[in-house]
Amino acid sequence: QVQLVQSGAEVTKPGASVKVSCKASGYTFTSFDINWVRQATGQGLDWMGWMNPKSGNTGFAQKFQGRVTMTSNTSISTAYMELSSLTSEDTAVYYCAVGRRAGWSSWWFDPWGQGTLVTVSS
Amino acid sequence: QSVLTQPPSVSGAPGQRVTISCTGSSSNIGAGYDVQWYQQLPGAAPKLLIYGNSNRPSGVPDRVSGSKSGTSASLAITGLQAEDEADYYCQSYDYSLNGQWVFGGGTKLTVL
């Protein structure tokens, strides 16, 4: 079955960067985009961006532009999300998810990784 | 605040029917983009419940349904069960701000 397994929890300091990995299995990794979504404690879901593993093309939400990098290593079916210039407001669970689509109007995320807690604290 | 608006909470007794609304605008749902729904159990990752406004992935029971009209969408759950207690999020695409995927703020469903 299609599965995404993410790297473990991270604790990092303000101003630093964090890199989260997302290993895919059960499908051809280059067939679908990987999206990243974050969720602060007790808050809702916040879409960060997408990456196409085949082309390397990316797209980001405006609020993360200039601060986020999304890459992949197709030889090991793994996607990466790196977020820089961290502040306490970046403390959240970060999820990767496979992006699916149907026609021009329908996009959804399925399945999701288990999530990676990133804590930013001095 | 979220681009898509959901009620913060809804509740219902076992066996009852509840609905959760998701209100957007002319740059997302009203522009023809489809709505998806996700269920998030406590401590777990979101799980796809409805895609393309009204389609259920395999494994999702038929007591769960979705609909869309104009700039809004709704999720309905009939025959409420204790296991339905969770957070529910709607999601669509918005062409403003250079285009991005957007979520509702989430609705906490409590089974009384």
Side-chain angles (χ1 to χ4, degrees), chain A residues 3-60:
Chain A
Q3 190 175 12
L4 299 177
V5 177
Q6 300 182 221
S7 49
E10 301 264 7
V11 179
T12 187
K13 295 192 181 304
S17 298
V18 70
K19 191 171 186 177
V20 178
S21 68
C22 170
K23 183 170 177 60
S25 62
Y27 73 103
T28 301
F29 180 61
T30 51
S31 294
F32 301 100
D33 295 346
I34 293 290
N35 286 260
W36 290 87
V37 177
R38 77 177 187 180
Q39 184 174 37
T41 302
Q43 303 300 308
L45 302 171
D46 195 7
W47 178 78
M48 299 179 69
W50 62 270
M51 186 217 58
N52 183 290
K54 186 172 186 177
S55 65
N57 290 343
T58 55
F60 307 123

Side-chain angles (χ1 to χ4, degrees), chain A residues 37 39 43-45 47 50 61-62 95 104-110 112-113, chain B residues 32-34 36 38 40 44-46 48 51-52 89 91 97-98 100-101 103:
Chain A
V37 177
Q39 184 174 37
Q43 303 300 308
L45 302 171
W47 178 78
W50 62 270
Q62 275 202 351
Y95 294 102
W104 68 269
S105 64
S106 204
W107 291 273
W108 62 93
F109 309 125
D110 180 54
W112 297 55
Chain B
Y33 296 107
D34 289 350
Q36 280 63 236
Y38 301 86
Q40 187 176 33
L48 180 69
Y51 67 96
Y89 294 89
Q91 171 253 314
L97 299 176
N98 292 325
Q100 61 181 40
W101 283 267
F103 289 94

Side-chain angles (χ1 to χ4, degrees), chain B residues 9-24:
Chain B
S9 63
V10 297
S11 63
Q16 285 191 331
R17 177 180 186 268
V18 295
T19 61
I20 299 173
S21 62
C22 174
T23 302

